[in-house]
Amino acid sequence: MEPSLAPSLLSERTRRRLAQVADCDPDFVAYDFSDDTAVAALGAAEVLLTFWGCPVLDEEVLAAAPRLRAVVHAAGTVKGHVTADCWERGITVSSAAAANALPVAEYTVAAILFSNKRILEVREAYRRVRTEHDWRAAFPEVGNYRRTVGIIGASRIGRRVVELLAPYALDIVVHDPYLSDAEAAHLGVRTVGLDELCETSDVISLHAPELPTTRHLLDRRRLGLMRDGATVINTSRGSLLDQASLTEELVAGRLHAVIDVTEPEVLPADSPLYDLPNVLLTPHYAGSFGNELQRMADSAVEEVARFAAGLPFAHPVSRTELEHTA
């Protein structure tokens, strides 16, 4: 991992727990696998505990790690470092994606509820008025009762969002080509085509993976299908949205947006999205931050403990799964 990230992930409690379940030096953090110390560690390693910034585990690195049997990733996607060479070696892989999904889902649920309540608009109006005002008359259509929420992607995060929305009187529709009717019934949602979802939803939340087939999933045409005043929430990847077309809609004031990911990841300083009153823009902030990193650390260490005990991973990652997930 990036050495600067180690203190945030590996708390004293985490280091103690790791030392209980594995023969390791909890103070040693490898980043450059060509370094002599790292090469020596690789030679003895049976499990790699990885995090953001882990170098690619290619054929050369694996050749230096003849005893390696597992990679336990204390974050979400493993696409950045787990290679075909790992799968061909029969190395098992685990990820803390389930732990990282929770704060993203919580952020999304808050965004959905605030969007239907028109919090950004009310805030701007209150700033202007600054006195007694008939707010019910000014915003007669706001509220979450029987609003339609469209979820694009029944991913781990998308499903968690659906679960967290269960207590609210919302109508939830989902578009996902991999979601079966039985799974949809179990989730308590109705499956629809993507165009219908765009036409009927008050809020649309993106939870699909970044794949060639999902690029600009919401393009100019589909954005044009959305109701006036509808909200787009993106906590997935910036590439899923046609950002230029969305920006036009937002500048015109026809749509609203909660945007946590963009393309490029940091927008140019002159982007109107920073200042528009109908946009909540955050810097890829929905995922694990602060003490939420400890949830991922706990998940990863428990996976190491399961491996040491000869048990299967609780959160395995398969090669086929990566073909259509983040």
Side-chain angles (χ1 to χ4, degrees):
M1 69 187 74
E2 289 273 3
S4 62
L5 296 173
S8 299
L9 181 76
L10 301 174
S11 66
E12 186 60 35
R13 178 180 62 82
T14 300
R15 291 170 190 262
R16 287 198 304 269
R17 174 60 177 151
L18 188 58
Q20 290 173 351
V21 301
D23 180 9
C24 66
D25 177 358
D27 296 318
F28 173 68
V29 178
Y31 179 58
D32 179 359
F33 285 147
S34 65
D35 177 80
D36 289 344
T37 307
V39 170
L42 282 173
E46 294 176 281
V47 179
L48 287 184
L49 175 64
T50 64
F51 194 47
W52 296 323
C54 178
V56 174
L57 302 175
D58 57 20
E59 185 178 9
E60 183 178 354
V61 172
L62 296 180
R67 300 180 64 198
L68 185 64
R69 296 162 55 201
V71 174
V72 175
H73 191 49
T77 182
V78 299
K79 285 185 175 180
H81 62 295
V82 172
T83 65
D85 297 313
C86 295
W87 303 116
E88 289 164 11
R89 262 271 298 269
I91 292 171
T92 56
V93 180
S94 169
S95 164
N100 190 50
L102 297 180
V104 180
E106 291 164 356
Y107 174 106
T108 301
V109 168
I112 290 169
L113 298 178
F114 266 32
S115 294
N116 281 329
K117 200 74 171 178
R118 289 286 182 258
I119 293 301
L120 291 180
E121 291 176 77
V122 173
R123 180 198 63 183
E124 293 301 310
Y126 199 21
R127 282 175 172 174
R128 292 193 304 270
V129 173
R130 303 188 183 214
T131 186
E132 288 290 335
H133 191 69
D134 188 349
W135 296 109
R136 288 185 175 83
F139 296 93
E141 300 298 325
V142 305
N144 282 287
Y145 183 64
R146 294 272 70 96
R147 293 295 184 190
T148 299
V149 176
I151 303 294
I152 299 177
S155 60
R156 183 181 285 107
I157 296 172
R159 292 172 189 238
R160 184 58 177 158
V161 170
V162 170
E163 292 170 358
L164 292 176
L165 289 175
Y168 304 98
L170 295 164
D171 297 323
I172 302 176
V173 295
V174 175
H175 173 76
D176 188 318
Y178 297 101
L179 184 67
S180 69
D181 291 341
E183 289 175 310
H186 178 73
L187 287 171
V189 300
R190 182 168 59 91
T191 58
V192 296
L194 188 52
D195 284 3
E196 181 181 346
L197 183 145
C198 291
E199 291 170 342
T200 60
S201 297
D202 298 291
V203 179
I204 293 175
S205 191
L206 286 157
H207 301 289
E210 184 176 43
L211 301 169
T213 54
T214 60
R215 179 168 180 79
H216 289 186
L217 201 59
L218 287 188
D219 56 11
R220 182 182 298 274
R221 184 185 70 80
R222 287 191 172 121
L223 290 168
L225 295 175
M226 293 179 63
R227 298 173 174 178
D228 291 355
T231 300
V232 179
I233 300 172
N234 191 7
T235 57
S236 182
R237 289 293 184 267
S239 66
L240 272 61
L241 275 170
D242 178 349
Q243 193 165 285
S245 297
L246 177 63
T247 299
E248 290 178 14
E249 294 277 19
L250 296 172
V251 169
R254 195 181 77 80
L255 298 179
H256 304 262
V258 178
I259 304 172
D260 188 51
V261 286
T262 56
E263 193 179 43
E265 188 69 272
V266 178
L267 292 174
D270 61 353
S271 170
L273 298 184
Y274 286 111
D275 302 308
L276 287 174
N278 53 332
V279 176
L280 174 61
L281 179 67
T282 49
H284 207 149
Y285 193 71
S288 298
F289 271 79
N291 67 6
E292 292 166 336
L293 296 181
Q294 292 307 299
R295 182 190 284 120
M296 295 196 297
D298 289 347
S299 174
V301 173
E302 288 311 307
E303 290 288 72
V304 175
R306 290 180 66 88
F307 186 85
L311 298 173
F313 286 139
H315 305 287
V317 178
S318 70
R319 187 176 191 173
T320 54
E321 177 188 352
L322 285 184
E323 295 174 1
H324 55 85
T325 61

